[in-house]
Amino acid sequence: MEPFKVTILGCASAKPTPRHMPTSQIIDFRGNLFMIDCGEGTQIQIMKYGIKLSRLRRIFISHLHGDHCFGLPGLLSTLSLMGLNGEITIHLPEEGMRVLKPLIDYSSHAQDITFAPYSYGNNIIYEDDTIAVNTMPLRHRLPCCGFVFREKPKLPHINRAMTDFHGVPTCMFNRIKNGEDFVKPDGTVVPWQRLTTDAEPPRSYAFISDTLPLKAVASEVKGVDLLYHEATFAESEAERAKQTCHTTAAQAANIAKSADVGRLIIGHYSSRYDEELELLNEARAIFPNTDLTYEGMTFDV
């Protein structure tokens, strides 16, 4: 199966720690790289973990707090200095055109950069023949969106035993995969379903950045294979989480449970936690298929 995997480059909250870098992730979808958020030092993490920058074509910024976007000028400048001058599209909140674009324009001379501002809401902001990416509004101290990456359904596979049996010429295979029946020379109709096998089910990944816990998120990410949800605090700090518009590990797990997702991974840890087992245990008590994220980890979707 073609790759669809997520690599964690940073999973700290606003205050980096000696153990964690600010938020950034790389999605490898069929060999094409997408980045979500770009906190300070992201370009160092990319080189550390051997990410092929030449395959990076799209960057998605969830909101304009510095720990999610201040690494962007540095990353693009590094790409310019390395001579990797391919086209890159930056999907960012509309306000980012005023805040970030001037600095990027000034510091990244050799890049062929396209800015694609998105509005705050539920919108498809990127789509091709194989995948669609949509935003969902979150509730933070400034406008913030999550992202859902949904693979499009694949065509069914040809069942060679059946096509050989019925004498189907190879020139018909694509038409059969697209739902056309095969008609034999004697007029017998062989339904296309008899000549194919089901394709693998489409895969999906949801990234939920800084936010209060929202019931609407559970609806938007219903049934995704892999959900990343911020879990900045333990439940003992629920009031602090509410004041700062963040989520506890237990709240993130409740969303995963309500949404019936395949797997939950949590991150965006507060610097008050020297280690995150408290958060993991809290989440697993509600949604057992939960894992912590750490820099350098890769998760298959």
Side-chain angles (χ1 to χ4, degrees), residues 77-102:
S77 180
T78 296
L79 287 170
S80 297
L81 292 171
M82 294 175 67
L84 300 174
N85 300 322
E87 296 179 3
I88 289 184
T89 300
I90 302 172
H91 301 266
L92 74 175
E94 291 176 336
E95 183 66 2
M97 297 296 287
R98 182 182 68 84
V99 176
L100 288 175
K101 185 178 184 298

mmCIF file with all atom_site columns, all heavy atoms in Angstrom, residues 77-102:
data_model
loop_
_atom_site.group_PDB
_atom_site.id
_atom_site.type_symbol
_atom_site.label_atom_id
_atom_site.label_alt_id
_atom_site.label_comp_id
_atom_site.label_asym_id
_atom_site.label_entity_id
_atom_site.label_seq_id
_atom_site.pdbx_PDB_ins_code
_atom_site.Cartn_x
_atom_site.Cartn_y
_atom_site.Cartn_z
_atom_site.occupancy
_atom_site.B_iso_or_equiv
_atom_site.pdbx_formal_charge
_atom_site.auth_seq_id
_atom_site.auth_comp_id
_atom_site.auth_asym_id
_atom_site.auth_atom_id
_atom_site.pdbx_PDB_model_num
ATOM 1   N N   . SER A 1 77  ? 13.888  30.253 4.072   1.00 0.00 ? 77  SER A N   1
ATOM 2   C CA  . SER A 1 77  ? 15.221  30.784 3.816   1.00 0.00 ? 77  SER A CA  1
ATOM 3   C C   . SER A 1 77  ? 16.231  29.651 3.648   1.00 0.00 ? 77  SER A C   1
ATOM 4   O O   . SER A 1 77  ? 17.099  29.690 2.763   1.00 0.00 ? 77  SER A O   1
ATOM 5   C CB  . SER A 1 77  ? 15.649  31.706 4.961   1.00 0.00 ? 77  SER A CB  1
ATOM 6   O OG  . SER A 1 77  ? 16.937  32.224 4.734   1.00 0.00 ? 77  SER A OG  1
ATOM 7   N N   . THR A 1 78  ? 16.114  28.606 4.474   1.00 0.00 ? 78  THR A N   1
ATOM 8   C CA  . THR A 1 78  ? 16.994  27.440 4.355   1.00 0.00 ? 78  THR A CA  1
ATOM 9   C C   . THR A 1 78  ? 16.819  26.760 2.999   1.00 0.00 ? 78  THR A C   1
ATOM 10  O O   . THR A 1 78  ? 17.798  26.371 2.354   1.00 0.00 ? 78  THR A O   1
ATOM 11  C CB  . THR A 1 78  ? 16.702  26.444 5.492   1.00 0.00 ? 78  THR A CB  1
ATOM 12  O OG1 . THR A 1 78  ? 17.023  27.050 6.743   1.00 0.00 ? 78  THR A OG1 1
ATOM 13  C CG2 . THR A 1 78  ? 17.525  25.174 5.332   1.00 0.00 ? 78  THR A CG2 1
ATOM 14  N N   . LEU A 1 79  ? 15.580  26.625 2.567   1.00 0.00 ? 79  LEU A N   1
ATOM 15  C CA  . LEU A 1 79  ? 15.332  26.032 1.257   1.00 0.00 ? 79  LEU A CA  1
ATOM 16  C C   . LEU A 1 79  ? 16.001  26.842 0.158   1.00 0.00 ? 79  LEU A C   1
ATOM 17  O O   . LEU A 1 79  ? 16.594  26.287 -0.780  1.00 0.00 ? 79  LEU A O   1
ATOM 18  C CB  . LEU A 1 79  ? 13.828  25.954 0.999   1.00 0.00 ? 79  LEU A CB  1
ATOM 19  C CG  . LEU A 1 79  ? 13.051  24.903 1.792   1.00 0.00 ? 79  LEU A CG  1
ATOM 20  C CD1 . LEU A 1 79  ? 11.550  25.100 1.617   1.00 0.00 ? 79  LEU A CD1 1
ATOM 21  C CD2 . LEU A 1 79  ? 13.428  23.499 1.362   1.00 0.00 ? 79  LEU A CD2 1
ATOM 22  N N   . SER A 1 80  ? 15.946  28.164 0.261   1.00 0.00 ? 80  SER A N   1
ATOM 23  C CA  . SER A 1 80  ? 16.583  29.019 -0.734  1.00 0.00 ? 80  SER A CA  1
ATOM 24  C C   . SER A 1 80  ? 18.091  28.824 -0.736  1.00 0.00 ? 80  SER A C   1
ATOM 25  O O   . SER A 1 80  ? 18.725  28.686 -1.785  1.00 0.00 ? 80  SER A O   1
ATOM 26  C CB  . SER A 1 80  ? 16.238  30.486 -0.463  1.00 0.00 ? 80  SER A CB  1
ATOM 27  O OG  . SER A 1 80  ? 14.854  30.724 -0.575  1.00 0.00 ? 80  SER A OG  1
ATOM 28  N N   . LEU A 1 81  ? 18.683  28.795 0.462   1.00 0.00 ? 81  LEU A N   1
ATOM 29  C CA  . LEU A 1 81  ? 20.129  28.648 0.574   1.00 0.00 ? 81  LEU A CA  1
ATOM 30  C C   . LEU A 1 81  ? 20.601  27.294 0.064   1.00 0.00 ? 81  LEU A C   1
ATOM 31  O O   . LEU A 1 81  ? 21.719  27.161 -0.435  1.00 0.00 ? 81  LEU A O   1
ATOM 32  C CB  . LEU A 1 81  ? 20.562  28.848 2.026   1.00 0.00 ? 81  LEU A CB  1
ATOM 33  C CG  . LEU A 1 81  ? 20.397  30.270 2.582   1.00 0.00 ? 81  LEU A CG  1
ATOM 34  C CD1 . LEU A 1 81  ? 20.643  30.284 4.087   1.00 0.00 ? 81  LEU A CD1 1
ATOM 35  C CD2 . LEU A 1 81  ? 21.351  31.233 1.876   1.00 0.00 ? 81  LEU A CD2 1
ATOM 36  N N   . MET A 1 82  ? 19.747  26.290 0.178   1.00 0.00 ? 82  MET A N   1
ATOM 37  C CA  . MET A 1 82  ? 20.100  24.947 -0.295  1.00 0.00 ? 82  MET A CA  1
ATOM 38  C C   . MET A 1 82  ? 19.836  24.775 -1.791  1.00 0.00 ? 82  MET A C   1
ATOM 39  O O   . MET A 1 82  ? 20.126  23.722 -2.354  1.00 0.00 ? 82  MET A O   1
ATOM 40  C CB  . MET A 1 82  ? 19.312  23.895 0.490   1.00 0.00 ? 82  MET A CB  1
ATOM 41  C CG  . MET A 1 82  ? 19.679  23.811 1.967   1.00 0.00 ? 82  MET A CG  1
ATOM 42  S SD  . MET A 1 82  ? 18.619  22.662 2.888   1.00 0.00 ? 82  MET A SD  1
ATOM 43  C CE  . MET A 1 82  ? 19.114  21.091 2.167   1.00 0.00 ? 82  MET A CE  1
ATOM 44  N N   . GLY A 1 83  ? 19.267  25.792 -2.411  1.00 0.00 ? 83  GLY A N   1
ATOM 45  C CA  . GLY A 1 83  ? 18.988  25.713 -3.839  1.00 0.00 ? 83  GLY A CA  1
ATOM 46  C C   . GLY A 1 83  ? 17.778  24.876 -4.187  1.00 0.00 ? 83  GLY A C   1
ATOM 47  O O   . GLY A 1 83  ? 17.609  24.466 -5.335  1.00 0.00 ? 83  GLY A O   1
ATOM 48  N N   . LEU A 1 84  ? 16.923  24.611 -3.206  1.00 0.00 ? 84  LEU A N   1
ATOM 49  C CA  . LEU A 1 84  ? 15.704  23.839 -3.456  1.00 0.00 ? 84  LEU A CA  1
ATOM 50  C C   . LEU A 1 84  ? 14.587  24.825 -3.780  1.00 0.00 ? 84  LEU A C   1
ATOM 51  O O   . LEU A 1 84  ? 13.845  25.260 -2.907  1.00 0.00 ? 84  LEU A O   1
ATOM 52  C CB  . LEU A 1 84  ? 15.363  22.985 -2.223  1.00 0.00 ? 84  LEU A CB  1
ATOM 53  C CG  . LEU A 1 84  ? 16.436  21.982 -1.823  1.00 0.00 ? 84  LEU A CG  1
ATOM 54  C CD1 . LEU A 1 84  ? 16.066  21.291 -0.509  1.00 0.00 ? 84  LEU A CD1 1
ATOM 55  C CD2 . LEU A 1 84  ? 16.635  20.937 -2.921  1.00 0.00 ? 84  LEU A CD2 1
ATOM 56  N N   . ASN A 1 85  ? 14.487  25.173 -5.036  1.00 0.00 ? 85  ASN A N   1
ATOM 57  C CA  . ASN A 1 85  ? 13.655  26.298 -5.433  1.00 0.00 ? 85  ASN A CA  1
ATOM 58  C C   . ASN A 1 85  ? 12.361  25.885 -6.127  1.00 0.00 ? 85  ASN A C   1
ATOM 59  O O   . ASN A 1 85  ? 11.846  26.595 -6.982  1.00 0.00 ? 85  ASN A O   1
ATOM 60  C CB  . ASN A 1 85  ? 14.457  27.220 -6.359  1.00 0.00 ? 85  ASN A CB  1
ATOM 61  C CG  . ASN A 1 85  ? 15.699  27.755 -5.668  1.00 0.00 ? 85  ASN A CG  1
ATOM 62  O OD1 . ASN A 1 85  ? 15.654  28.050 -4.484  1.00 0.00 ? 85  ASN A OD1 1
ATOM 63  N ND2 . ASN A 1 85  ? 16.793  27.868 -6.408  1.00 0.00 ? 85  ASN A ND2 1
ATOM 64  N N   . GLY A 1 86  ? 11.832  24.721 -5.757  1.00 0.00 ? 86  GLY A N   1
ATOM 65  C CA  . GLY A 1 86  ? 10.570  24.296 -6.353  1.00 0.00 ? 86  GLY A CA  1
ATOM 66  C C   . GLY A 1 86  ? 9.397   25.105 -5.828  1.00 0.00 ? 86  GLY A C   1
ATOM 67  O O   . GLY A 1 86  ? 9.525   25.918 -4.910  1.00 0.00 ? 86  GLY A O   1
ATOM 68  N N   . GLU A 1 87  ? 8.255   24.853 -6.413  1.00 0.00 ? 87  GLU A N   1
ATOM 69  C CA  . GLU A 1 87  ? 7.050   25.578 -6.024  1.00 0.00 ? 87  GLU A CA  1
ATOM 70  C C   . GLU A 1 87  ? 6.565   25.102 -4.659  1.00 0.00 ? 87  GLU A C   1
ATOM 71  O O   . GLU A 1 87  ? 6.489   23.909 -4.389  1.00 0.00 ? 87  GLU A O   1
ATOM 72  C CB  . GLU A 1 87  ? 5.959   25.364 -7.061  1.00 0.00 ? 87  GLU A CB  1
ATOM 73  C CG  . GLU A 1 87  ? 6.301   25.918 -8.441  1.00 0.00 ? 87  GLU A CG  1
ATOM 74  C CD  . GLU A 1 87  ? 5.198   25.674 -9.446  1.00 0.00 ? 87  GLU A CD  1
ATOM 75  O OE1 . GLU A 1 87  ? 4.149   25.118 -9.045  1.00 0.00 ? 87  GLU A OE1 1
ATOM 76  O OE2 . GLU A 1 87  ? 5.396   26.022 -10.616 1.00 0.00 ? 87  GLU A OE2 1
ATOM 77  N N   . ILE A 1 88  ? 6.234   26.047 -3.795  1.00 0.00 ? 88  ILE A N   1
ATOM 78  C CA  . ILE A 1 88  ? 5.669   25.739 -2.483  1.00 0.00 ? 88  ILE A CA  1
ATOM 79  C C   . ILE A 1 88  ? 4.435   26.610 -2.281  1.00 0.00 ? 88  ILE A C   1
ATOM 80  O O   . ILE A 1 88  ? 4.470   27.820 -2.529  1.00 0.00 ? 88  ILE A O   1
ATOM 81  C CB  . ILE A 1 88  ? 6.681   25.974 -1.352  1.00 0.00 ? 88  ILE A CB  1
ATOM 82  C CG1 . ILE A 1 88  ? 7.781   24.917 -1.397  1.00 0.00 ? 88  ILE A CG1 1
ATOM 83  C CG2 . ILE A 1 88  ? 5.987   25.932 0.011   1.00 0.00 ? 88  ILE A CG2 1
ATOM 84  C CD1 . ILE A 1 88  ? 8.773   25.012 -0.267  1.00 0.00 ? 88  ILE A CD1 1
ATOM 85  N N   . THR A 1 89  ? 3.354   25.991 -1.838  1.00 0.00 ? 89  THR A N   1
ATOM 86  C CA  . THR A 1 89  ? 2.129   26.718 -1.528  1.00 0.00 ? 89  THR A CA  1
ATOM 87  C C   . THR A 1 89  ? 1.942   26.736 -0.019  1.00 0.00 ? 89  THR A C   1
ATOM 88  O O   . THR A 1 89  ? 2.032   25.686 0.630   1.00 0.00 ? 89  THR A O   1
ATOM 89  C CB  . THR A 1 89  ? 0.910   26.064 -2.195  1.00 0.00 ? 89  THR A CB  1
ATOM 90  O OG1 . THR A 1 89  ? 1.102   26.071 -3.613  1.00 0.00 ? 89  THR A OG1 1
ATOM 91  C CG2 . THR A 1 89  ? -0.364  26.828 -1.856  1.00 0.00 ? 89  THR A CG2 1
ATOM 92  N N   . ILE A 1 90  ? 1.688   27.928 0.511   1.00 0.00 ? 90  ILE A N   1
ATOM 93  C CA  . ILE A 1 90  ? 1.484   28.085 1.949   1.00 0.00 ? 90  ILE A CA  1
ATOM 94  C C   . ILE A 1 90  ? 0.011   28.409 2.186   1.00 0.00 ? 90  ILE A C   1
ATOM 95  O O   . ILE A 1 90  ? -0.487  29.455 1.763   1.00 0.00 ? 90  ILE A O   1
ATOM 96  C CB  . ILE A 1 90  ? 2.373   29.195 2.524   1.00 0.00 ? 90  ILE A CB  1
ATOM 97  C CG1 . ILE A 1 90  ? 3.847   28.897 2.243   1.00 0.00 ? 90  ILE A CG1 1
ATOM 98  C CG2 . ILE A 1 90  ? 2.139   29.329 4.036   1.00 0.00 ? 90  ILE A CG2 1
ATOM 99  C CD1 . ILE A 1 90  ? 4.775   30.035 2.603   1.00 0.00 ? 90  ILE A CD1 1
ATOM 100 N N   . HIS A 1 91  ? -0.675  27.484 2.846   1.00 0.00 ? 91  HIS A N   1
ATOM 101 C CA  . HIS A 1 91  ? -2.069  27.701 3.228   1.00 0.00 ? 91  HIS A CA  1
ATOM 102 C C   . HIS A 1 91  ? -2.069  28.277 4.642   1.00 0.00 ? 91  HIS A C   1
ATOM 103 O O   . HIS A 1 91  ? -1.603  27.627 5.583   1.00 0.00 ? 91  HIS A O   1
ATOM 104 C CB  . HIS A 1 91  ? -2.833  26.374 3.203   1.00 0.00 ? 91  HIS A CB  1
ATOM 105 C CG  . HIS A 1 91  ? -2.827  25.701 1.861   1.00 0.00 ? 91  HIS A CG  1
ATOM 106 N ND1 . HIS A 1 91  ? -3.835  25.868 0.946   1.00 0.00 ? 91  HIS A ND1 1
ATOM 107 C CD2 . HIS A 1 91  ? -1.915  24.873 1.280   1.00 0.00 ? 91  HIS A CD2 1
ATOM 108 C CE1 . HIS A 1 91  ? -3.562  25.165 -0.144  1.00 0.00 ? 91  HIS A CE1 1
ATOM 109 N NE2 . HIS A 1 91  ? -2.410  24.544 0.035   1.00 0.00 ? 91  HIS A NE2 1
ATOM 110 N N   . LEU A 1 92  ? -2.574  29.469 4.798   1.00 0.00 ? 92  LEU A N   1
ATOM 111 C CA  . LEU A 1 92  ? -2.506  30.155 6.080   1.00 0.00 ? 92  LEU A CA  1
ATOM 112 C C   . LEU A 1 92  ? -3.757  30.993 6.296   1.00 0.00 ? 92  LEU A C   1
ATOM 113 O O   . LEU A 1 92  ? -4.460  31.327 5.343   1.00 0.00 ? 92  LEU A O   1
ATOM 114 C CB  . LEU A 1 92  ? -1.249  31.020 6.164   1.00 0.00 ? 92  LEU A CB  1
ATOM 115 C CG  . LEU A 1 92  ? -1.173  32.343 5.381   1.00 0.00 ? 92  LEU A CG  1
ATOM 116 C CD1 . LEU A 1 92  ? 0.115   33.069 5.739   1.00 0.00 ? 92  LEU A CD1 1
ATOM 117 C CD2 . LEU A 1 92  ? -1.273  32.188 3.885   1.00 0.00 ? 92  LEU A CD2 1
ATOM 118 N N   . PRO A 1 93  ? -4.056  31.335 7.556   1.00 0.00 ? 93  PRO A N   1
ATOM 119 C CA  . PRO A 1 93  ? -5.211  32.201 7.809   1.00 0.00 ? 93  PRO A CA  1
ATOM 120 C C   . PRO A 1 93  ? -5.069  33.527 7.069   1.00 0.00 ? 93  PRO A C   1
ATOM 121 O O   . PRO A 1 93  ? -3.956  33.988 6.801   1.00 0.00 ? 93  PRO A O   1
ATOM 122 C CB  . PRO A 1 93  ? -5.167  32.407 9.330   1.00 0.00 ? 93  PRO A CB  1
ATOM 123 C CG  . PRO A 1 93  ? -4.369  31.257 9.854   1.00 0.00 ? 93  PRO A CG  1
ATOM 124 C CD  . PRO A 1 93  ? -3.364  30.943 8.793   1.00 0.00 ? 93  PRO A CD  1
ATOM 125 N N   . GLU A 1 94  ? -6.200  34.139 6.731   1.00 0.00 ? 94  GLU A N   1
ATOM 126 C CA  . GLU A 1 94  ? -6.175  35.375 5.955   1.00 0.00 ? 94  GLU A CA  1
ATOM 127 C C   . GLU A 1 94  ? -5.290  36.438 6.593   1.00 0.00 ? 94  GLU A C   1
ATOM 128 O O   . GLU A 1 94  ? -4.581  37.177 5.909   1.00 0.00 ? 94  GLU A O   1
ATOM 129 C CB  . GLU A 1 94  ? -7.595  35.891 5.771   1.00 0.00 ? 94  GLU A CB  1
ATOM 130 C CG  . GLU A 1 94  ? -8.442  35.009 4.850   1.00 0.00 ? 94  GLU A CG  1
ATOM 131 C CD  . GLU A 1 94  ? -9.875  35.464 4.752   1.00 0.00 ? 94  GLU A CD  1
ATOM 132 O OE1 . GLU A 1 94  ? -10.346 36.148 5.695   1.00 0.00 ? 94  GLU A OE1 1
ATOM 133 O OE2 . GLU A 1 94  ? -10.531 35.148 3.739   1.00 0.00 ? 94  GLU A OE2 1
ATOM 134 N N   . GLU A 1 95  ? -5.306  36.525 7.927   1.00 0.00 ? 95  GLU A N   1
ATOM 135 C CA  . GLU A 1 95  ? -4.501  37.532 8.613   1.00 0.00 ? 95  GLU A CA  1
ATOM 136 C C   . GLU A 1 95  ? -3.009  37.295 8.414   1.00 0.00 ? 95  GLU A C   1
ATOM 137 O O   . GLU A 1 95  ? -2.195  38.213 8.548   1.00 0.00 ? 95  GLU A O   1
ATOM 138 C CB  . GLU A 1 95  ? -4.842  37.532 10.108  1.00 0.00 ? 95  GLU A CB  1
ATOM 139 C CG  . GLU A 1 95  ? -4.130  38.574 10.952  1.00 0.00 ? 95  GLU A CG  1
ATOM 140 C CD  . GLU A 1 95  ? -4.510  40.010 10.611  1.00 0.00 ? 95  GLU A CD  1
ATOM 141 O OE1 . GLU A 1 95  ? -5.374  40.217 9.739   1.00 0.00 ? 95  GLU A OE1 1
ATOM 142 O OE2 . GLU A 1 95  ? -3.936  40.921 11.231  1.00 0.00 ? 95  GLU A OE2 1
ATOM 143 N N   . GLY A 1 96  ? -2.644  36.061 8.066   1.00 0.00 ? 96  GLY A N   1
ATOM 144 C CA  . GLY A 1 96  ? -1.238  35.763 7.828   1.00 0.00 ? 96  GLY A CA  1
ATOM 145 C C   . GLY A 1 96  ? -0.647  36.514 6.650   1.00 0.00 ? 96  GLY A C   1
ATOM 146 O O   . GLY A 1 96  ? 0.570   36.688 6.562   1.00 0.00 ? 96  GLY A O   1
ATOM 147 N N   . MET A 1 97  ? -1.496  36.949 5.741   1.00 0.00 ? 97  MET A N   1
ATOM 148 C CA  . MET A 1 97  ? -0.998  37.732 4.614   1.00 0.00 ? 97  MET A CA  1
ATOM 149 C C   . MET A 1 97  ? -0.409  39.053 5.093   1.00 0.00 ? 97  MET A C   1
ATOM 150 O O   . MET A 1 97  ? 0.549   39.575 4.529   1.00 0.00 ? 97  MET A O   1
ATOM 151 C CB  . MET A 1 97  ? -2.127  37.979 3.614   1.00 0.00 ? 97  MET A CB  1
ATOM 152 C CG  . MET A 1 97  ? -2.687  36.710 2.995   1.00 0.00 ? 97  MET A CG  1
ATOM 153 S SD  . MET A 1 97  ? -1.462  35.822 1.999   1.00 0.00 ? 97  MET A SD  1
ATOM 154 C CE  . MET A 1 97  ? -1.365  36.909 0.570   1.00 0.00 ? 97  MET A CE  1
ATOM 155 N N   . ARG A 1 98  ? -0.971  39.603 6.149   1.00 0.00 ? 98  ARG A N   1
ATOM 156 C CA  . ARG A 1 98  ? -0.446  40.853 6.704   1.00 0.00 ? 98  ARG A CA  1
ATOM 157 C C   . ARG A 1 98  ? 0.716   40.609 7.649   1.00 0.00 ? 98  ARG A C   1
ATOM 158 O O   . ARG A 1 98  ? 1.698   41.361 7.646   1.00 0.00 ? 98  ARG A O   1
ATOM 159 C CB  . ARG A 1 98  ? -1.560  41.601 7.452   1.00 0.00 ? 98  ARG A CB  1
ATOM 160 C CG  . ARG A 1 98  ? -1.127  42.954 8.031   1.00 0.00 ? 98  ARG A CG  1
ATOM 161 C CD  . ARG A 1 98  ? -2.249  43.606 8.799   1.00 0.00 ? 98  ARG A CD  1
ATOM 162 N NE  . ARG A 1 98  ? -2.566  42.876 10.017  1.00 0.00 ? 98  ARG A NE  1
ATOM 163 C CZ  . ARG A 1 98  ? -1.904  43.029 11.171  1.00 0.00 ? 98  ARG A CZ  1
ATOM 164 N NH1 . ARG A 1 98  ? -0.877  43.875 11.246  1.00 0.00 ? 98  ARG A NH1 1
ATOM 165 N NH2 . ARG A 1 98  ? -2.254  42.345 12.234  1.00 0.00 ? 98  ARG A NH2 1
ATOM 166 N N   . VAL A 1 99  ? 0.643   39.513 8.417   1.00 0.00 ? 99  VAL A N   1
ATOM 167 C CA  . VAL A 1 99  ? 1.621   39.270 9.472   1.00 0.00 ? 99  VAL A CA  1
ATOM 168 C C   . VAL A 1 99  ? 2.884   38.593 8.946   1.00 0.00 ? 99  VAL A C   1
ATOM 169 O O   . VAL A 1 99  ? 4.012   39.002 9.270   1.00 0.00 ? 99  VAL A O   1
ATOM 170 C CB  . VAL A 1 99  ? 0.983   38.413 10.597  1.00 0.00 ? 99  VAL A CB  1
ATOM 171 C CG1 . VAL A 1 99  ? 2.024   38.059 11.654  1.00 0.00 ? 99  VAL A CG1 1
ATOM 172 C CG2 . VAL A 1 99  ? -0.192  39.137 11.208  1.00 0.00 ? 99  VAL A CG2 1
ATOM 173 N N   . LEU A 1 100 ? 2.737   37.543 8.128   1.00 0.00 ? 100 LEU A N   1
ATOM 174 C CA  . LEU A 1 100 ? 3.876   36.727 7.731   1.00 0.00 ? 100 LEU A CA  1
ATOM 175 C C   . LEU A 1 100 ? 4.395   37.000 6.325   1.00 0.00 ? 100 LEU A C   1
ATOM 176 O O   . LEU A 1 100 ? 5.597   36.868 6.069   1.00 0.00 ? 100 LEU A O   1
ATOM 177 C CB  . LEU A 1 100 ? 3.510   35.241 7.833   1.00 0.00 ? 100 LEU A CB  1
ATOM 178 C CG  . LEU A 1 100 ? 3.378   34.642 9.232   1.00 0.00 ? 100 LEU A CG  1
ATOM 179 C CD1 . LEU A 1 100 ? 2.902   33.203 9.134   1.00 0.00 ? 100 LEU A CD1 1
ATOM 180 C CD2 . LEU A 1 100 ? 4.702   34.713 9.980   1.00 0.00 ? 100 LEU A CD2 1
ATOM 181 N N   . LYS A 1 101 ? 3.511   37.329 5.413   1.00 0.00 ? 101 LYS A N   1
ATOM 182 C CA  . LYS A 1 101 ? 3.922   37.447 4.022   1.00 0.00 ? 101 LYS A CA  1
ATOM 183 C C   . LYS A 1 101 ? 5.061   38.442 3.805   1.00 0.00 ? 101 LYS A C   1
ATOM 184 O O   . LYS A 1 101 ? 6.021   38.145 3.077   1.00 0.00 ? 101 LYS A O   1
ATOM 185 C CB  . LYS A 1 101 ? 2.735   37.809 3.135   1.00 0.00 ? 101 LYS A CB  1
ATOM 186 C CG  . LYS A 1 101 ? 3.065   37.835 1.637   1.00 0.00 ? 101 LYS A CG  1
ATOM 187 C CD  . LYS A 1 101 ? 1.836   38.148 0.802   1.00 0.00 ? 101 LYS A CD  1
ATOM 188 C CE  . LYS A 1 101 ? 2.161   38.079 -0.689  1.00 0.00 ? 101 LYS A CE  1
ATOM 189 N NZ  . LYS A 1 101 ? 3.173   39.075 -1.092  1.00 0.00 ? 101 LYS A NZ  1
ATOM 190 N N   . PRO A 1 102 ? 5.036   39.648 4.416   1.00 0.00 ? 102 PRO A N   1
ATOM 191 C CA  . PRO A 1 102 ? 6.142   40.582 4.169   1.00 0.00 ? 102 PRO A CA  1
ATOM 192 C C   . PRO A 1 102 ? 7.508   40.021 4.578   1.00 0.00 ? 102 PRO A C   1
ATOM 193 O O   . PRO A 1 102 ? 8.496   40.195 3.851   1.00 0.00 ? 102 PRO A O   1
ATOM 194 C CB  . PRO A 1 102 ? 5.767   41.808 5.009   1.00 0.00 ? 102 PRO A CB  1
ATOM 195 C CG  . PRO A 1 102 ? 4.287   41.740 5.123   1.00 0.00 ? 102 PRO A CG  1
ATOM 196 C CD  . PRO A 1 102 ? 3.973   40.279 5.222   1.00 0.00 ? 102 PRO A CD  1
#
